[in-house]
Amino acid sequence: MKEWIEVEEELEELAPLFCTAYPGLGMTEEQMYQLSRASMGETVRHIGLRQHGAFVGAMRLHDFSMNFRGVMIEASGLGSVAVDFCHKKEGVALELVKYFLKDAEEKQMPIALLYPFNPAFYRKMGFGHGTRMNQYQIRPELLPAEGSKAHIRLATPEDAEAIASYHAWRVSRHHGLIEKTMEDFLKWWRDPQCRVFVLERFGGVRGYMWTRFKKGETSFLVNDLFISEFACEDESFLDWMAFLQSQRDQIRYVLLNTQEEEFYLALDDPRNGSDRLLVSVYHETNRQGSGVMYRVVDAERVIMMLDGTGIPDFVCRLTIRDDLIARNDRVFTVVVKGGQISIGDEEPAVSLTLDIADFSSLVMGAATLRGLVRFGKAHVPEEWSGVLGQLFGYAKKPFCTTGF
């Protein structure tokens, strides 16, 4: 007999499950229990699947507030998916994902997101790729030095509220960003290696950098600066670069993680020090990783949130294939008239068929329609690719700085 439980009192029973699922964390069961307990709150729930009296799977569900194409929406996040070691390949993970999506449907959350342990598995579940993460390894002396570090200082936990306020302002302006609590920032200081810096202007925080030192391989005198999260405005970018450049006597490499694909334009020499060449004479510049994935849970609602401004009147027959959510698995007659979007029954001028995973990447702006056509994920007449891409795509890629 299978039983779904929103775990509260039984949280300690999940600790062995999580420890076995994530041995790389190196945690004891007591440490894992305390971590899970600390993560609980109004927007975080632990769900367990019990079979014959024992937990065979568990996960953590997050209720997020996310900027979607300039509008704040509720989104659902899935984390800490764990399957009992003795129940692998029995469909438990699939059952967990189905429950997660059903829960998001019931809560009327149009978008779901997660960090995949295996992207291929979640692609099959309808999750599309998000924006990739780039990690640059840069010698500080190669960074621009034109700015001024006069407004940058070392932050303390007392600055958490101001940092949270600045982040909230950024969320309102940047597609894909998720609201955070002050506690999300306070936990940075629980890492003794953590160093947080802020830039103050106009009476408040206008940028921050969350860093930690990374010891070199040869001696204690060799140190790298690992930047986990960095947020700033255009006018202060060079100030931050000058700040990092001034660390050149102590820091061997700055390891900067960013979803900004054009960051290399800031560097006169973007090489990463490996001296490796790709085909012909293309220097290796950075490492790149695929991470956060998105899934449309309510396709009709998402379609109605699209912006038809500047798009000529036309009707598109959109077919979405979705094996897990029945109400998405259908044909939508999308009508654009006078810049407004509606779903009707008019005769279409063009047809477009997409898997829900690719549709999700497209509406999130992580993929372009031209890219999907180029690589065989979609088929549309060339003369329609521009206007369809403008309607369903988004010019800005989603940024996500929230780990869960």
Side-chain angles (χ1 to χ4, degrees):
M1 177 182 175
K2 292 182 179 180
E3 181 184 13
W4 291 99
I5 298 176
E6 186 168 333
V7 181
E8 294 181 359
E9 299 300 325
E10 307 92 338
L11 193 59
E12 198 166 0
E13 295 180 42
L14 298 184
L17 199 66
F18 287 134
C19 282
T20 304
Y22 301 98
L25 294 177
M27 289 187 176
T28 64
E29 291 183 7
E30 176 61 23
Q31 289 172 323
M32 185 63 76
Y33 165 66
Q34 293 298 338
L35 178 66
S36 299
R37 185 179 177 185
S39 70
M40 293 183 69
E42 291 183 7
T43 61
V44 180
R45 294 167 291 144
H46 289 85
I47 304 296
L49 175 57
R50 195 148 59 185
Q51 187 171 300
H52 305 300
F55 285 109
V56 298
M59 59 187 167
R60 191 166 63 233
L61 304 188
H62 300 257
D63 297 341
F64 290 131
S65 183
M66 183 183 81
N67 183 321
F68 176 68
R69 301 168 73 114
V71 177
M72 296 305 299
I73 65 168
E74 297 303 307
S76 186
L78 172 63
S80 299
V81 174
V83 176
D84 183 81
F85 218 58
C86 297
H87 290 273
K88 295 288 188 69
K89 304 305 178 184
E90 295 178 10
V92 175
L94 175 59
E95 290 298 312
L96 293 172
V97 174
K98 285 182 175 179
Y99 182 99
F100 163 60
L101 294 176
K102 181 181 178 182
D103 181 79
E105 275 193 274
E106 292 175 350
K107 286 178 169 287
Q108 298 183 341
M109 295 179 170
I111 302 288
L113 63 157
L114 53 77
Y115 287 95
F117 69 89
N118 180 340
F121 172 80
Y122 287 105
R123 278 276 305 178
K124 293 178 181 177
M125 301 299 107
F127 288 83
H129 298 301
T131 306
R132 292 166 297 181
M133 182 66 72
N134 303 283
Q135 186 178 99
Y136 285 85
Q137 178 174 285
I138 315 159
R139 289 197 174 276
E141 59 267 26
L142 298 179
L143 289 167
E146 299 94 293
S148 168
K149 59 190 178 80
H151 299 285
I152 297 173
R153 64 170 176 84
L154 181 66
T156 69
E158 284 69 38
D159 293 303
E161 184 175 359
I163 294 173
S165 177
Y166 170 66
H167 175 76
W169 178 79
R170 281 180 56 80
V171 169
S172 69
R173 293 163 55 91
H174 294 275
H175 168 59
L177 284 184
I178 292 171
E179 287 184 352
K180 296 183 182 182
T181 65
M182 193 166 74
E183 175 60 26
D184 291 325
F185 296 101
L186 279 171
K187 66 183 180 183
W188 289 353
W189 281 275
R190 294 179 193 141
D191 178 358
Q193 292 296 316
C194 165
R195 298 291 186 277
V196 180
F197 301 92
V198 293
L199 181 144
E200 288 181 315
R201 271 190 180 147
F202 313 115
V205 168
R206 295 288 290 175
Y208 62 83
M209 184 177 283
W210 172 29
T211 75
R212 65 170 59 87
F213 291 112
K214 183 179 178 183
K215 184 180 177 182
E217 305 82 8
T218 53
S219 77
F220 73 94
L221 294 175
V222 179
N223 295 282
D224 299 329
L225 188 67
F226 187 90
I227 302 175
S228 299
E229 188 172 330
F230 171 42
C232 78
E233 303 312 303
D234 293 352
E235 62 269 18
S236 62
F237 175 78
L238 288 177
D239 296 340
W240 283 105
M241 295 302 100
F243 168 71
L244 293 173
Q245 206 262 7
S246 71
Q247 313 304 322
R248 60 190 180 277
D249 62 334
Q250 180 183 355
I251 300 300
R252 178 183 59 172
Y253 287 116
V254 172
L255 303 175
L256 175 64
N257 296 282
T258 177
Q259 288 183 299
E260 296 197 58
E261 295 187 349
E262 294 185 321
F263 177 78
Y264 69 95
L265 296 175
L267 307 172
D268 289 337
D269 185 352
R271 293 178 298 171
N272 63 3
S274 67
D275 293 329
R276 283 190 287 265
L277 292 177
L278 307 183
V279 62
S280 186
V281 187
Y282 282 82
H283 301 272
E284 185 175 283
T285 59
N286 60 286
R287 300 168 69 182
Q288 192 175 72
S290 175
V292 66
M293 301 180 77
Y294 300 93
R295 193 195 202 282
V296 170
V297 178
D298 186 341
E300 181 170 345
R301 182 176 168 191
V302 166
I303 290 169
M304 295 301 295
M305 293 177 70
L306 300 179
D307 185 6
T309 304
I311 299 176
D313 294 356
F314 78 101
V315 179
C316 172
R317 184 178 189 270
L318 172 65
T319 302
I320 295 179
R321 299 188 299 262
D322 191 338
D323 294 334
L324 294 186
I325 299 180
R327 67 176 180 179
N328 286 345
D329 189 39
R330 51 169 281 207
V331 175
F332 298 87
T333 302
V334 183
V335 180
V336 182
K337 189 172 184 179
Q340 300 299 310
I341 307 296
S342 63
I343 295 175
D345 56 4
E346 288 88 337
E347 187 68 24
V350 63
S351 296
L352 173 63
T353 299
L354 289 170
D355 181 85
I356 189 64
D358 296 320
F359 178 72
S360 300
S361 292
L362 180 61
V363 296
M364 284 300 302
T368 65
L369 184 59
R370 290 187 185 276
L372 294 175
V373 170
R374 163 68 175 157
F375 299 112
K377 300 293 186 179
H379 303 279
V380 296
E382 174 63 27
E383 63 270 21
W384 281 99
S385 61
V387 68
L388 289 175
Q390 185 181 354
L391 173 62
F392 295 111
Y394 196 62
K396 299 177 181 178
K397 289 183 179 294
F399 284 3
C400 183
T401 61
T402 301
F404 57 92

